[in-house]
Amino acid sequence: MTTNNDLIDQTVQEVVTSSTSSVTEAGPAAKHSSKLIDAINQVFALFRVNYHNQFYSAYSDTDVLNQAKRLWLDTLSYFTERQILQGAKKIIETSDYLPTLNRMLQCCEMSSEDGSLPSPKKAYIEACNAASPKCDAKWSHLAIYHAGQDTGWYRLTNEAESSSYPAYLENYRRICREISQGRKLTAPILSEQEEKTVPLSKTELKLRLKSLKNELGFK
């Protein structure tokens, strides 16, 4: 029995030979790999086949189509070719409407990839639930920690998800893009804000009390 995935895979093979134009020309796309460019071209070819009237209405001329391809290429550049194609397949399987770039971004983030970064939602939940000090937490990926650090641990702990998640999402996506461009993430360190809130051990409390007594002249 032929499944939807089989049909989509077949369509990919049918359109790949006709999908390598426009975005491959000289310009902003030159900084991206040929495989990534080809994946974006395949996605647009798939959308043309599946959302025929909507597609030609949205991309009424070649210039508009080329601009859209370049925008999608830059935005989705930190995903693998496999994730991008999986994201496109998920959209085709679940939606009757031509997707926005934001919807494509969400579907790519939900696509599985061994050893890849966790989805933004999973990363957000892990950041919110991590115990203090954050530098000692067992992070599944350092990007989760750095996105939390940039968003603010207090904000993640005390603000509603409707407020804190969009901020975390923006930072997480930025860091993911930076990783794809070669950024090496540093190991977590104890921040000044956390240092003030981390409870002291009994030994540390005794030492500080003794030091304070000496400063005040008590024996």
Side-chain angles (χ1 to χ4, degrees), residues 82-211:
R82 178 168 174 249
Q83 284 176 299
I84 290 172
L85 290 175
Q86 283 182 335
K89 290 177 183 180
K90 183 174 183 63
I91 287 172
I92 291 169
E93 290 173 343
T94 60
S95 176
D96 293 328
Y97 300 99
L98 186 69
T100 62
L101 177 53
N102 186 59
R103 176 59 181 157
M104 180 63 178
L105 190 62
Q106 293 172 357
C107 287
C108 288
E109 288 169 340
M110 291 186 288
S111 300
S112 61
E113 183 75 21
D114 293 341
S116 67
L117 290 152
S119 69
K121 195 66 174 183
K122 288 182 179 179
Y124 170 77
I125 293 172
E126 183 175 332
C128 289
N129 292 335
S132 293
K134 308 301 182 184
C135 60
D136 292 337
K138 303 298 182 183
W139 299 103
S140 59
H141 198 288
L142 282 177
I144 302 172
Y145 163 81
H146 283 278
Q149 185 84 335
D150 291 350
T151 306
W153 301 115
Y154 181 87
R155 183 173 189 179
L156 290 175
T157 303
N158 294 279
E159 289 189 9
E161 181 176 329
S162 60
S163 173
S164 60
Y165 179 65
Y168 183 87
L169 176 62
E170 181 178 352
N171 287 316
Y172 185 71
R173 283 177 172 172
R174 172 181 53 78
I175 290 170
C176 289
R177 287 194 297 271
E178 291 171 353
I179 291 173
S180 73
Q181 295 165 3
R183 176 182 173 184
K184 303 298 182 184
L185 299 180
T186 57
I189 58 174
L190 186 64
S191 65
E192 291 183 7
Q193 181 181 6
E194 274 200 286
E195 190 174 7
K196 294 176 182 178
T197 59
V198 173
L200 299 174
S201 66
K202 290 183 179 180
T203 302
E204 289 173 324
L205 284 171
K206 288 181 180 179
L207 289 174
R208 291 203 177 187
L209 181 59
K210 182 178 180 182
S211 175

Side-chain angles (χ1 to χ4, degrees), residues 207-219:
L207 289 174
R208 291 203 177 187
L209 181 59
K210 182 178 180 182
S211 175
L212 181 59
K213 286 182 176 180
N214 290 335
E215 289 177 7
L216 295 175
F218 292 102
K219 294 183 180 181

